[in-house]
Amino acid sequence: MDFLGSTKDNGMLTTFLSFSESSSYLMEPRFVSGFLHAVFLLVLFCSLVLNNGFGSVVTERLKDRRGFGFKSVLFCSLALSLFNLVLMSLSCFYWYGSGWSDNEQLVSLVVFLLPTVSWGVLFVCLHRCTDYEHRKSPLLLRIWFVFYLLVSCYSLVVDKREETVHVHLLVYDIVAVGGALLLCYVAFKKARVGNNNSNSNGGLEEPLLNGASTVGGGEGSDEATPYSRAGILSLLTFSWMGPLIETGNKKPLDLEDVPQLHDSDSVVGLAPKFKTMLESSSDGGDESESEISGVTTFKLMKALFFSAQWEILVTALFAFIYTVASYVGPALIDTFVQYLNGRRQYNNEGYVLVITFFLAKLVECLSQRHWFFRAQKAGFRMRSSLVAMVYEKSLTLSCHSKQGRTSGEIINVMAVDTTRIVNFSWHMHDPWMILLQVGLALWILYRNLGLASIAALIATILVMLVNFPFGRMQERFQEKLMEAKDRRMKSTTEILRNMRILKLQGWEMKFLSKIFDLRKSEEGWLKKYVYNSAVISFVFWGAPTLVSVSTFGACILLGIPLESGKILSALATFRILQEPIYNLPETISMIVQTKVSLDRIASYLCLDNLQPDVVERLPQGGSDIAVEVSNSTLSWDVSAESPTLKDINFKVLPGMKVAVCGTVGSGKSSLLSSILGEVPKISGSLKVCGTKAYVAQSPWIQSGKIEDNILFGKPMERERYEKVLEACSLSKDLEVLSFGDQTVIGERGINLSGGQKQRIQIARALYQDADIYLFDDPFSAVDAHTGSHLFKEVLLGLLSSKSVIYVTHQVEFLPAADLILVMKDGRISQAGKYNDILSSGTDFMELIGAHQEALAVVGSVDTNSVSEIAALGGQEGATGFDVKQESQDVKNDKPDTEETKRQLVQDEEREKGSVALDVYWKYITLAYGGALVPFIVLAQVLFQLLQIGSNYWMAWATPVSKDVEAPVNISTLMIVYVALAVGSSLCILVRATLLVTAGYKTATELFQKMHHCIFRSPMSFFDSTPSGRIMNRASTDQSSVDLIIPYEFEAVAITVIQLIGIIGVMSQVSWLVFLVFIPVVAASIWYQRYYIAAARELSRLVGVSKAPLIQHFSETISGSTTIRSFNQESRFCGDNMRLSDDFSRPKFYLAGAMEWLCFRLDMLSSLTFAFSLVFLISIPTGVIDPSLAGLAVTYGLNLNTMQAWLIWTLCNLENKIISVERMLQYASVPSEPPLVIESNRPAQSWPSRGEVDIHDLQVRYAPHMPLVLRGITCTFKGGLRTGIVGRTGSGKSTLIQTLFRIVEPSGGEIRIDGVNILTIGLHDLRLRLSIIPQDPTMFEGTVRSNLDPLEEYTDDQIWEALDKCQLGDEVRKKEQKLDSSVSENGENWSMGQRQLVCLGRVLLKRSKILVLDEATASVDTATDNLIQKTLREHFSDCTVITIAHRISSVIDSDMVLLLSDGIIEEYDSPVKLLENKSSSFAKLVAEYTTRSSSSFD
């Protein structure tokens, strides 16, 4: 091994050791350096002994551990120690091989040893210290760094003047000078950080300052974690993972079993630093309002690099060591073959070679394992920081920016794009490593084959150049694929949010086909992407063959003799060169994907924030006004010609009650939003003094306990809490619930009625004890009695001393106001007290007139209309009360059992134990029944056989040395080799094509199966399943199935076949290898089984802990206005950080577990390889053909890699297949009854009369929940109008849902025109009924698609419906008329307008039975009267069932049904019920009329 040159050639040894005189020897640079290192080592030892630890001296004034300075010192110390160790080891090997010539060599060895030890000790001491608070390095280190720089410069100058100096020595001097300069710079640089860190502001820092207990929660902990407290040996061998893996073997792991992250790895510590770095890199001026508005992809990359620079630098070092160590084997193969052939250079050369091979493998293994682990760790850190930034941005987005990016797209940025950054951490060093690997390969080839290596270089460059057009295509396909995925996820989010309305209308399959169409577009790009990947795979799997053919061909042309030792060394080199060439396509693909993702994240972070200067916040107590608006003009869209609010002027003093009223779309909600600072300001001023609390018109409820929703981050004060519950009429509701206020609310309050959600919202606002309260028409969602109670107890009671601005459509609440603002067309048309403005204008009089008209309807019902009573038949039949009803009531009045005491929303299901083989089988056989799988395996087997055959041919057909004659001529040698090479390349093309075809088909099938099953699942599934869980499967898991899992299966198959090939080749030379191989394989399998129990559960925990993060993100986006209004941004950022750490914890320890296993497997396979080598050198010369023995060693070099890779790919496959398992979970959800039952379809004219007959109806929402309707029996006569009234939560909406079979009855039946609705198909039922639901829903698209999604009607019919529902003029004003855009969830339309669109839908449909579920709750009285008039006019011959809180909406009904706690309390005509003054309905009407004429003074 000619590393340092020979003594005869005046090489390095001459420079080191040939010192003629003693005095000149003492002045040699190496001796001076050794002496200096010895002194430093002595000082370090003294400081350790005298000061009880190195920390008290060395870390006395050392920079913060996470700062650049400390990490640079640590990095340089380790690098210099390892550099000296490598130099010492190689010198030692050379001296041993050539025989120790004199004692001076031993002295020189000590001179090498001293720097190795001293820098190593410094590294260990620094690494073990924990107190790093100050900014300057200690005096001792600064003195040492200066001396080291001087000696390094002295060495460089002296060596350059020597004529015979070896190049390696100069490299050593240059490295030493570079390291010394860096160390001195760090030691003496001035502290520039200053006060920046202490004065940092923004949402990410706030949780740490204001709510440490909320944020920390123990997640990011300064306490020692298994990783942070591990010793050097434990870190090296990953033994710190042992306890967790052992726990995983004893029981299935839960999140509580997974240790916390150290503060340095927790988002709590990472996010503020990352934000500071991003802001400092984005400073383009002094724009105070948006520090990170100028984010570019480059600035984002820069901030990401500096946020994980230590990990990146250390992984770079490990990657470098790994690469160098991996080429030691190929460099020594020729020497090994010559040794076996009998040409030995010195005694015991064989054992030196074996030790060198083994040590190289050991270093390779250790460096690779730590490189991979730390790379993943860096990726987790970057992902956590990015998620925190994206989340914080979502809390500050302006309304205009939000309209441009839907929640689905934002969730994709958080869920998919940040994950890509983690994936890229595996490949971040590949670009420079490829250059290093190619360089080392060419050096080995040049040593063996001379100028023929140039052919190898040209072939390698050509192969890499071929990749560029494919790389560009891949980037374009990736971008298009992500855009298509965004569109699909956006649509999926909206559909899942509104699934109830889709099922009520019978539209779910139409919207499913829309999702399938979007997926088809996505699949188009996916297909191009995967087939392009197949071509790249073919090019690069064939590349090493092309390189070897080119190289050997050049040898023949140049007349370079081909000897088996040199050939095998070249083949081993090509095999290692395969790694960068195999990885290059994936690396380019990852770079492309990461670039696309970084572009998307950067563009998202660049979106406009809310204007911070819309509202001037006055100091509390510093002003005598609460709210003052002067000459303000505001608009949601600043570029619009007509602003939303114009010339607004009013003043609110502390304690004032201000009412805002006006017609639908007049700007009432926008006025409240402007006070919150949500609407961009064009001119004027808005001043607010004091804290605010806001109650939105559309309730925003977090999933979680009712108590947590009310407290909303405030500590529990029981007395105030009880008062709030009482004032909001919630006490009785909580008594009914099995868990009281500990009941877990489903997503968007799915298991609460509209009124309950609204009252919880009000309770949340009351509990905050704010100064200013903003109510956006909260009373419309509750019944008359509850509305009166809320107004008295809340506005006039608890809030009597507070400033309150309330929007209302109920005129009866206006007289109590100190100031009434009447809105019209975005202006305040009238302002003043109730009596003052009655006579001052027409707008207010119109509202009052409409109210009086509604009251007149109530008053006009007299008791003499006997004809109405007679028309109903007998009263007894109408009331429907009988003994059965009472007995049913008694039967249900029993205490809750354990079965009923289960929450509606359960924790997400996760399988436990090993992934069932059934999951693998289903995946493999999903595409074409698995027909392609045997062909894929066969193609890989043929490839492997042809590869081994070609290498075997080259080893056999070339001579061992020049003296031996070749068995075949050169032309035969190359023809056979090229033929075998071409055959193997064709096998790769077949395998790659078949694989992507099968993978693509499987992904398509799985997507369709899962989505079809989800869309056909009953509503109870959506009630109890947060959409985050479904979205997680539709985005992350689907991405895995699309782009990852096929290649995981491929990797397992390839590795198994390659491993069998390696063992086959090695056993040809020595069957004794099986003596070691079999126990090693047994030990490997045991380790794998021992590891997989913990790893599998950790992988499942990763999947399960991602859904809460996505769900919290989704909820935050929809409730950002409410969160901002309560100034709760910091708490929500803290919750996001906690959930982000909960997601990172299992990922971090999963990575640790993987490396724990791989390290042990690497050690075992290295032992197998070492045993084989010892056996080969132990047998006499001539017993084994040296060429075949060399071939065995060539393949054996990959044994540890292949064996570890097999277990790694198996474990990785099992971890990834969980995505398939989770998707199959939702592909087997129980389905609703059939949409159409062909054998029992109703007549085309059904229902002709519209009579609804309900008999003993019992309903519960889930088997484990109590009955909601408890034995209802009644009949709704055809063609009559029936009103359903009752307190909030009495079962009104449940009755309607049962009519549509959204909820299947537990008992009893419903017949429509004599047809039992349980016996016909769901679509036959739902498409024949019409409903205007409680929550008005519009979908993204156009006005036309919202009114007629099934495309059944003409434009004229649509215009007619719009005119009837009072929206015709509004739509005609818009430029695109029926094609006018509707944003996500109809956000660009007011709540009242959305309700009118729902009315338009039923006017188009003209069904015989129409249901109004509190359909006019969100409109003013005048509009309500118009709707009622429209319905009376166009549905006079239909059965109309109305649930309403306004008595005027039901008082003119033919029949009134009054429900109470799920049973019928009264059912009769309004006339009959009003006759009996003690009836509940009569009391309700009396209360309504009293309230309506009362001023609540």
Side-chain angles (χ1 to χ4, degrees), residues 424-494:
F424 177 69
S425 64
W426 289 91
H427 302 273
M428 60 186 167
H429 297 304
D430 284 4
W432 64 263
M433 274 180 63
I434 286 169
L435 296 176
L436 176 63
Q437 286 169 317
V438 170
L440 287 171
L442 290 171
W443 173 64
I444 292 171
L445 289 172
Y446 183 73
R447 271 188 48 192
N448 288 319
L449 304 174
L451 289 175
S453 59
I454 295 171
L457 174 64
I458 292 168
T460 305
I461 290 171
L462 278 175
V463 166
M464 291 180 175
L465 285 175
V466 166
N467 184 68
F468 283 105
F470 290 117
R472 277 199 295 272
M473 284 162 67
Q474 201 80 329
E475 180 175 10
R476 192 167 68 87
F477 295 155
Q478 174 69 23
E479 281 179 3
K480 296 293 183 184
L481 183 62
M482 288 307 297
E483 285 170 14
K485 182 189 273 292
D486 276 348
R487 286 194 294 273
R488 174 173 63 81
M489 291 308 298
K490 176 177 164 184
S491 192
T492 305
T493 309
E494 186 175 49

Side-chain angles (χ1 to χ4, degrees), residues 967 1154 1238 1304 1476:
M1154 177 68 79
E1238 291 296 343
E1304 292 289 316
N1476 180 3

Side-chain angles (χ1 to χ4, degrees), residues 19 127 337 529 711 728 800 1042 1094 1252 1347:
F19 307 113
H127 191 271
V337 170
Y529 183 88
L711 296 181
C728 295
S800 56
D1042 285 345
V1252 181
L1347 282 164

Side-chain angles (χ1 to χ4, degrees), residues 539-713:
V539 169
F540 285 96
W541 274 80
T545 307
L546 174 68
V547 174
S548 59
V549 167
S550 306
T551 309
F552 298 149
C555 285
I556 292 166
L557 291 173
L558 295 170
I560 297 168
L562 289 174
E563 298 170 16
S564 58
K566 291 181 166 54
I567 290 286
L568 290 170
S569 180
L571 287 174
T573 306
F574 294 144
R575 282 178 71 81
I576 295 181
L577 195 58
Q578 276 180 331
E579 187 185 339
I581 294 179
Y582 287 174
N583 288 342
L584 189 59
E586 194 180 351
T587 302
I588 289 172
S589 173
M590 282 309 306
I591 290 171
V592 165
Q593 290 180 27
T594 307
K595 165 88 167 45
V596 170
S597 290
L598 284 171
D599 287 343
R600 284 155 52 84
I601 294 169
S603 68
Y604 173 72
L605 293 176
C606 284
L607 293 175
D608 291 337
N609 287 343
L610 286 167
Q611 289 180 10
D613 58 346
V614 171
V615 175
E616 184 184 341
R617 288 171 178 80
L618 303 174
Q620 211 157 350
S623 173
D624 58 350
I625 59 156
V627 179
E628 183 178 18
V629 183
S630 308
N631 301 319
S632 289
T633 299
L634 308 103
S635 182
W636 290 108
D637 183 0
V638 181
S639 60
E641 289 181 20
S642 175
T644 311
L645 297 170
K646 301 176 275 290
D647 305 325
I648 305 297
N649 288 282
F650 68 92
K651 186 185 292 187
V652 182
L653 302 175
M656 270 181 72
K657 305 289 177 286
V658 178
V660 183
C661 59
T663 56
V664 168
S666 58
K668 304 182 294 298
S669 297
S670 296
L671 183 67
L672 293 191
S673 296
S674 66
I675 296 168
L676 292 171
E678 298 287 320
V679 188
K681 183 173 67 176
I682 297 171
S683 63
S685 70
L686 287 88
K687 296 177 184 175
V688 174
C689 180
T691 56
K692 305 180 295 296
Y694 171 63
V695 178
Q697 185 174 17
S698 184
W700 178 74
I701 302 289
Q702 270 189 289
S703 50
K705 294 176 187 170
I706 291 175
E707 178 186 272
D708 295 338
N709 268 279
I710 295 172
L711 296 181
F712 208 57

Side-chain angles (χ1 to χ4, degrees), residues 154 182 395 460 696 1010:
Y154 169 67
L182 177 61
L395 281 171
T460 305
M1010 184 183 80

Side-chain angles (χ1 to χ4, degrees), residues 50-274:
L50 297 175
N51 295 289
N52 295 321
F54 181 73
S56 55
V57 173
V58 175
T59 64
E60 180 188 352
R61 296 204 312 271
L62 196 62
K63 192 178 174 183
D64 185 287
R65 180 171 188 165
R66 297 175 199 88
F68 177 73
F70 169 76
K71 290 175 180 174
S72 301
V73 173
L74 205 61
F75 179 79
C76 281
S77 304
L78 179 61
L80 288 168
S81 177
L82 290 172
F83 194 70
N84 279 283
L85 177 64
V86 169
L87 202 62
M88 181 186 76
S89 303
L90 292 171
S91 300
C92 186
F93 275 127
Y94 180 79
W95 287 328
Y96 180 73
S98 58
W100 301 95
S101 60
D102 52 42
N103 291 330
E104 286 181 359
Q105 289 180 338
L106 289 173
V107 177
S108 298
L109 191 63
V110 174
V111 169
F112 277 121
L113 183 63
L114 285 169
T116 303
V117 175
S118 57
W119 286 112
V121 169
L122 180 61
F123 169 77
V124 172
C125 291
L126 291 177
H127 191 271
R128 299 299 295 163
C129 293
T130 54
D131 179 24
Y132 309 101
E133 294 177 357
H134 300 281
R135 291 189 173 86
K136 286 187 181 176
S137 300
L139 181 63
L140 171 63
L141 283 187
R142 279 183 282 159
I143 292 171
W144 162 240
F145 293 158
V146 169
F147 271 107
Y148 183 62
L149 177 63
L150 293 173
V151 170
S152 300
C153 292
Y154 169 67
S155 299
L156 183 62
V157 171
V158 171
D159 286 339
K160 279 195 75 175
R161 292 167 71 181
E162 291 283 341
E163 293 179 8
T164 58
V165 71
H166 200 280
V167 68
H168 292 86
L169 192 56
L170 281 176
V171 171
Y172 175 79
D173 290 335
I174 291 165
V175 169
V177 170
L181 283 170
L182 177 61
L183 290 168
C184 288
Y185 167 73
V186 169
F188 291 96
K189 72 172 182 177
K190 300 295 181 184
R192 289 179 295 177
V193 181
N195 297 323
N196 288 352
N197 291 339
S198 57
N199 294 338
S200 56
N201 52 16
L204 290 176
E205 284 84 346
E206 287 169 8
L208 307 179
L209 301 173
N210 305 334
S213 61
T214 310
V215 178
E219 295 302 325
S221 171
D222 278 325
E223 297 172 16
T225 62
Y227 177 67
S228 63
R229 67 167 175 258
I232 292 290
L233 191 62
S234 179
L235 285 172
L236 278 176
T237 60
F238 294 94
S239 300
W240 54 271
M241 274 302 304
L244 184 62
I245 294 173
E246 187 181 354
T247 306
N249 269 276
K250 291 176 181 172
K251 70 180 195 70
L253 291 177
D254 291 312
L255 198 57
E256 297 74 39
D257 301 316
V258 182
Q260 303 293 346
L261 295 171
H262 190 262
D263 189 49
S264 61
D265 296 312
S266 166
V267 67
V268 177
L270 295 169
K273 292 183 176 179
F274 177 72

Side-chain angles (χ1 to χ4, degrees), residues 700-703 747-748 1111-1119:
W700 178 74
I701 302 289
Q702 270 189 289
S703 50
E747 194 177 17
R748 302 188 307 281
Q1111 187 185 338
H1112 181 255
F1113 203 16
S1114 176
E1115 285 183 343
T1116 301
I1117 293 165
S1118 58

Side-chain angles (χ1 to χ4, degrees), residues 779 782-792 810 813 1491 1496:
F779 310 114
V782 296
D783 56 78
H785 169 79
T786 310
S788 304
H789 175 85
L790 285 173
F791 194 80
K792 284 179 187 171
Q810 281 108 316
F813 294 146
R1491 184 186 79 171
F1496 288 97

